[in-house]
Amino acid sequence: FSNIGQFFSNVWDNITRIFVNIGTYIGDAVSDVIACKEAGVKCLSVGWTPDAKLDELHQLNPGLVFMTVKEMRDYLKKQLA
């Protein structure tokens, strides 16, 4: 990228595509999963943070808890294909 503005513009475009195309929120807290369920929005859970409550996330959001950025990226690529 020739400048930082272009980089962030491209990042924002990709994030917007994810929300519009697959209606998904990415969060790292149990409260994110609960709020998304109440709103009818799919939540992808970030499990790689030090404070992640993995047992609760897996219980509330089975199959949608990701332990690495690559794992989440691969999932999103399949969803956007």
Side-chain angles (χ1 to χ4, degrees), residues 41-81:
V41 174
K42 182 189 294 185
C43 183
L44 304 184
S45 295
V46 171
W48 61 80
T49 64
D51 297 329
K53 295 180 179 176
L54 292 175
D55 290 338
E56 291 179 67
L57 288 172
H58 282 292
Q59 184 179 16
L60 289 170
N61 210 15
L64 295 174
V65 179
F66 301 90
M67 299 308 297
T68 66
V69 173
K70 181 186 180 317
E71 188 180 324
M72 184 179 284
R73 184 191 67 213
D74 292 346
Y75 172 84
L76 290 170
K77 278 183 169 180
K78 287 179 187 174
Q79 298 300 306
L80 292 171

Side-chain angles (χ1 to χ4, degrees), residues 14-65:
N14 287 330
I15 290 171
T16 301
R17 246 182 52 207
I18 291 167
F19 284 112
V20 170
N21 291 340
I22 62 174
T24 301
Y25 179 82
I26 299 170
D28 63 352
V30 170
S31 59
D32 294 330
V33 177
I34 293 168
C36 284
K37 285 182 184 252
E38 290 175 358
V41 174
K42 182 189 294 185
C43 183
L44 304 184
S45 295
V46 171
W48 61 80
T49 64
D51 297 329
K53 295 180 179 176
L54 292 175
D55 290 338
E56 291 179 67
L57 288 172
H58 282 292
Q59 184 179 16
L60 289 170
N61 210 15
L64 295 174
V65 179

